[in-house]
Amino acid sequence: MIEIDAALVKNLIAAQFPDWADLSVRPVANGGWDNRTFHLGETMLVRLPSAESYVAQVEKEHRFLPAFGPQLPLPIPVPLGLGKPGEGYPWPWSVYAWIAGDRSSLQAIANLTVFAEDLADFLLALRKIDPSDGPPPGPHNFFRGGALEVYDNETRRSIRVLADQIDVQLITEIWERALASTWKNTPVWVHGDVAEGNLLVRNGRLAAVIDFGSSGTGDPACDLVIAWTLFDEPAAHAFRNRVRLDTETWERARGWCLWKALITAAGEPGTNPLVKDEHRRWIDRIVADHLGWV
């Protein structure tokens, strides 16, 4: 990852969007891992990929988000400007309208079950959008919506790393059950990263969904991970009922969550070491849920 600061952003704006050159630039609190995000004045934000692996997401959001907006029940990012490499920064970058709201959390959400139902309704609407021109899973979205086999090697490596901390046989069983099925229906649009940091809350309710960098078309299982990472059992039950997907899709969803939890707990390259303990708790919830289904 390269160094990105407010001075760089200020220079990029001045060079490429001179009408906004007088606006203040300051970092956004909790600005994200894949991108560095900055306020531009009071009504806009600037997002810059932090590494080359995130660059393909920029053009994708500019292409598809304007068409998505009218078809979805909640606000999503609105692209306002597409920046070019410059001022020592090597990649394209974006200016968006600012969406007010707090990062979702148990403290910010007034009713977790209502929140889960609102999110399910958003995902149902997203799945209804015509997928014919959408990109299939690939490096642009880290294979979200694709086959879990892509991550089989690193998942099994993480299981070996954590062998003295987990039930290896049981975790392997959960993983292999997730690998055992595929999405047999028409590909649908997926967000690809339905996580607390990409769900905004106002007045206790889900208010917006942001960061479509991992979006694409394929299997919706990857969008269900939040059932284990945020929801309690009543909210997870409501979410499952509302999204109306089959048992095998939920098993693949459990696999997506397990993969991310294992590689983070094992300290795989590119994962955030500050959230290892949180991801260990995800593993415990996945195991408990699996045992309740079998």
Side-chain angles (χ1 to χ4, degrees):
M1 294 186 178
I2 66 172
E3 183 67 26
I4 303 170
D5 57 22
L8 170 64
V9 176
K10 189 77 172 171
N11 290 338
L12 285 167
I13 291 293
Q16 299 184 32
F17 299 99
D19 289 348
W20 299 333
D22 292 335
L23 297 176
S24 61
V25 174
R26 64 190 191 282
V28 170
N30 301 313
W33 182 256
D34 300 352
N35 297 269
R36 298 293 178 262
T37 309
F38 297 80
H39 292 279
L40 178 60
E42 300 302 320
T43 62
M44 292 182 285
L45 65 84
V46 181
R47 295 182 80 230
L48 304 94
S50 61
E52 189 171 9
S53 55
Y54 308 122
V55 170
Q57 302 175 1
V58 174
E59 185 277 334
K60 178 174 59 181
E61 289 197 335
H62 279 261
R63 178 181 175 188
F64 291 107
L65 291 189
F68 283 3
Q71 303 180 69
L72 295 170
L74 294 167
I76 64 172
V78 176
L80 301 177
L82 178 59
K84 301 177 294 185
E87 308 301 314
Y89 180 77
W91 304 308
W93 48 281
S94 303
V95 181
Y96 294 92
W98 174 256
I99 304 176
D102 297 319
R103 183 184 190 274
S104 65
S105 66
L106 294 177
Q107 295 73 32
I109 298 168
N111 185 308
L112 200 56
T113 296
V114 171
F115 182 93
E117 291 173 341
D118 289 345
L119 178 58
D121 290 344
F122 179 90
L123 295 176
L124 286 167
L126 181 64
R127 278 163 39 197
K128 291 178 182 177
I129 295 176
D130 182 2
S132 56
D133 291 333
H140 70 95
N141 72 341
F142 303 97
F143 297 92
R144 300 299 200 277
L148 278 166
E149 281 85 356
V150 171
Y151 294 114
D152 189 39
N153 286 339
E154 67 179 21
T155 300
R156 293 183 190 274
R157 183 169 62 245
S158 297
I159 290 172
R160 291 193 296 271
V161 169
L162 299 169
D164 61 343
Q165 305 174 44
I166 61 175
D167 183 331
V168 170
Q169 182 176 348
L170 180 57
I171 293 295
T172 302
E173 175 188 325
I174 296 170
W175 177 245
E176 291 181 346
R177 183 172 293 201
L179 294 177
S181 67
T182 58
W183 179 249
K184 299 179 179 64
N185 299 319
T186 302
V188 296
W189 273 103
V190 300
H191 178 277
D193 192 13
V194 179
E196 291 92 322
N198 295 329
L199 305 173
L200 301 185
V201 175
R202 285 197 305 273
N203 300 319
R205 293 287 297 269
L206 179 62
V209 179
I210 62 173
D211 192 353
F212 283 71
S214 294
S215 62
T217 58
D219 176 5
C222 62
D223 278 349
L224 308 178
V225 168
I226 199 165
W228 296 278
T229 64
L230 178 65
F231 297 158
D232 59 16
E233 187 50 42
H237 181 74
F239 185 63
R240 287 172 178 144
N241 285 342
R242 200 87 155 200
V243 296
R244 300 195 297 272
L245 289 166
D246 60 273
T247 298
E248 289 185 344
T249 299
W250 278 102
E251 289 174 342
R252 295 192 303 277
R254 196 185 287 118
W256 277 104
C257 191
L258 184 62
W259 157 71
K260 185 62 178 291
L262 286 169
I263 65 169
T264 303
E268 280 283 312
T271 59
N272 185 351
L274 301 179
V275 294
K276 279 188 176 184
D277 289 344
E278 177 185 349
H279 284 64
R280 279 302 315 277
R281 291 191 290 272
W282 294 4
I283 296 171
D284 293 340
R285 291 203 64 196
I286 292 164
V287 167
D289 184 59
H290 169 76
L291 293 175
W293 280 33
V294 294

